[in-house]
Amino acid sequence: MGNTASLLHKALEGAAAAGAEAEYIDLYPLNYKGCISCFYCKRKDKKHGTCIVKDDLSPILERVKEADAVIFGSPIYFMNLTAGMQAFLERLFFSLYIYSREIPSVLGKKIPSAFLYTMNATEEQAEQFHLRESLAAYEAAGATALGVEPYRFYDYNTLQFHDYSQYESSIFSEQDKRDYRASHQLETTQKAYELGQKLIQDAQQV
Ligand SMILES: Cc1cc2nc3c(=O)[nH]c(=O)nc-3n(C[C@H](O)[C@H](O)[C@H](O)COP(=O)(O)O)c2cc1C
């Protein structure tokens, strides 16, 4: 299992321990595209908050809107969310956000959320490349669409391969990475579990 998936499963364990029915949805096998700028979701004569594009993402968008809490997990690709996660969030957030001064979101409820990121970069490199700033626009859109400021969770210095000797990877020190994982893995896993719990507690209060 990948870095992101395994932390998400930990968070789901925490959520389940807090009483939630927790579901993991993998976007990778789905066929879908991002927002096509048709503005159907903003038409005055249509049901607001509905993305009219029909593909594998359509039922997922409905499931997310029904949820009490959600975690958006993504590896960092080119110092941002993956293209797949960006496409998903374009469809989800943009359809809930209708350009109305009076109604910031048509969701009709609040959904506590978190963005969970995993990456090769160390914390210092992430800072140097202004990662938090790169991610801010999606997080802000999430805060507006879902009505609550999201939590942010970062896992740095992940391992990409089980066996580094089989891949071109001379820009990394496998030993440094393994040392980092050995000293941080437990704490990171525990924090992911607590994130799941915290979201369910928040969901009971909104
Ligand atoms: C196409 C691609 C681009 C990547 N770009 C970055 C990057 O810009 N910064 C970074 O820290 N890691 C980058 N990575 C590494 C992944 O973010 C990292 O290995 C992550 O933990 C993988 O998560 P996963 O195991 O869930 O797939 C990239 C990986 C891929 C495949």
Side-chain angles (χ1 to χ4, degrees):
M1 193 186 299
N3 296 287
T4 317
S6 65
L7 283 178
L8 285 171
H9 279 94
K10 259 299 148 198
L12 292 191
E13 268 180 42
E21 213 178 276
E23 183 185 6
Y24 174 82
I25 300 173
D26 187 357
L27 296 177
Y28 275 137
L30 306 182
N31 268 318
Y32 63 94
K33 49 185 158 194
C35 176
I36 58 166
S37 197
C38 70
F39 299 111
Y40 179 93
C41 58
K42 291 161 192 31
R43 285 266 301 260
K44 288 185 172 171
D45 59 338
K46 304 291 180 201
K47 187 172 172 273
H48 285 146
T50 304
C51 177
I52 197 62
V53 177
K54 294 288 170 245
D55 56 20
D56 290 358
L57 206 55
S58 310
I60 310 298
L61 295 173
E62 293 313 307
R63 289 234 286 286
V64 172
K65 286 188 270 181
E66 285 162 10
D68 297 316
V70 60
I71 304 177
F72 304 108
S74 176
I76 293 297
Y77 285 1
F78 298 102
M79 285 300 167
N80 215 315
L81 297 161
T82 61
M85 180 55 78
Q86 292 191 25
F88 164 56
L89 296 182
E90 285 169 16
R91 299 265 300 278
L92 178 66
F93 294 162
F94 198 62
S95 60
L96 295 172
Y97 169 71
I98 57 160
Y99 289 164
S100 159
R101 209 186 295 278
E102 296 76 28
I103 309 164
S105 169
V106 294
L107 181 59
K109 65 178 193 180
K110 292 179 191 295
I111 304 183
S113 73
F115 284 80
L116 182 150
Y117 309 111
T118 77
M119 72 205 81
N120 244 328
T122 61
E123 188 166 1
E124 296 70 29
Q125 288 166 336
E127 229 166 86
Q128 189 187 339
F129 290 103
H130 307 287
L131 178 71
R132 289 181 192 228
E133 289 86 334
S134 303
L135 301 167
Y138 284 96
E139 293 165 355
T144 302
L146 306 181
V148 195
E149 189 64 30
Y151 292 108
R152 287 115 169 123
F153 186 106
Y154 309 90
D155 187 19
Y156 304 101
N157 219 346
T158 55
L159 282 165
Q160 257 180 311
F161 318 116
H162 290 297
D163 180 357
Y164 272 69
S165 69
Q166 290 186 19
Y167 299 88
E168 294 293 347
S169 55
S170 59
I171 61 167
F172 303 116
S173 159
E174 180 181 2
Q175 194 54 51
D176 284 357
K177 275 187 175 285
R178 294 208 181 276
D179 291 347
Y180 181 90
R181 296 317 309 172
S183 57
H184 287 77
Q185 190 69 37
L186 246 173
E187 189 191 340
T188 306
T189 306
Q190 178 62 22
K191 280 191 179 155
Y193 182 91
E194 288 165 9
L195 176 69
Q197 285 186 314
K198 207 157 39 174
L199 277 170
I200 299 312
Q201 287 153 10
D202 287 3
Q204 284 156 358
Q205 282 160 18
V206 292

